[in-house]
Amino acid sequence: MKIVVIGGSGLIGTKLVKRLRAAGQDVVAASPNSGVNTVTGEGLADALTDAQVVVDVANAPSFEDEAVMRFFRTAGRNLMAAEAAAGVRHHLALSVVGTDRLLESGYFRAKMVQEDLIKGSDIPYTILRSTQFFEFVGSIIESGAEGDVVRLSPALIQPVASDDVAAVLADLTLGKPLFATVEVAGPEACPIDKFARKFLDAGGDQREVIADVHARYFGAALNDRTLTPGDKPRLGAIRIADWLDRAAS
């Protein structure tokens, strides 16, 4: 198959492209750096010529409310139109567990629009919602940082390794469209503040972490269900301690 990976030079995209090529697939890693821009439409039609599958793992360059909404709405519309014209038979997208529970956040409102555009098109689809990547913990920490203090919610998080996300996404890419949303998560849940403390300790960072039930997650209030998956997620194999050991080394 010819598979086009939108966002093919990013964290997940790079790993996904590698896995699909190892499986013998014809893979195009598409990104603005390779001349494919889903917002302007530049290079999109050429990249999708003869493609059977498109996997969208691109993320917005800005999380500012208007900018992120403009990115996902415009890119989504352009992708759906270009895929329909090219006769694409399966569209996959990477989204976030809890998107529909985080609509106080402009970022997640934009992700919801992206999902709705996919479901509203005539192209067979599969949406993979992932919990937060281990690699994102630094951004979570900085979102709650003030000087030497980090205030974070003690709500549960079930982070997952990007390698595990790429493995599940590769499996879905090589399968039939599910016309559904599925979830992937790490093998264990942990309060956000405690996960942050473990990460900072592993890096020798002595900032104080304070559990604050009022602390917001990129603008959204949290409880123990907000960021955790439903009853039957696909589970990654890499545990928090294992990833921290790798990161430290």
Side-chain angles (χ1 to χ4, degrees), residues 20-63:
L20 293 173
R21 285 177 176 164
Q25 303 301 321
D26 176 15
V27 185
V28 175
S31 69
N33 290 338
S34 68
V36 180
N37 190 315
T38 55
V39 175
T40 65
E42 176 190 359
L44 196 52
D46 287 343
L48 266 54
T49 299
D50 298 325
Q52 288 84 44
V53 179
V54 172
V55 189
D56 184 10
V57 296
N59 207 355
S62 169
F63 283 16

Side-chain angles (χ1 to χ4, degrees), residues 68-150:
V68 73
M69 180 62 78
R70 186 165 54 248
F71 174 86
F72 282 116
R73 178 178 285 138
T74 304
R77 288 173 175 168
N78 288 344
L79 262 179
M80 293 299 102
E83 289 178 30
V88 169
R89 300 198 294 266
H90 190 185
H91 177 93
L92 299 97
L94 181 62
S95 193
V96 185
V97 164
T99 289
D100 51 327
R101 300 187 290 271
L102 289 158
L103 298 181
E104 291 176 278
S105 163
Y107 178 83
F108 292 102
R109 289 195 297 272
K111 289 297 287 183
M112 197 78 254
V113 166
Q114 179 193 30
E115 291 189 15
D116 288 342
L117 285 169
I118 294 166
K119 294 175 183 177
S121 78
D122 293 327
I123 300 167
Y125 72 91
T126 303
I127 295 172
L128 177 64
R129 282 185 173 183
S130 171
T131 55
Q132 288 64 34
F133 309 149
F134 287 136
E135 291 86 350
F136 190 52
V137 63
S139 296
I140 294 174
I141 289 169
E142 294 312 316
S143 74
E146 286 187 18
D148 293 330
V149 174
V150 180

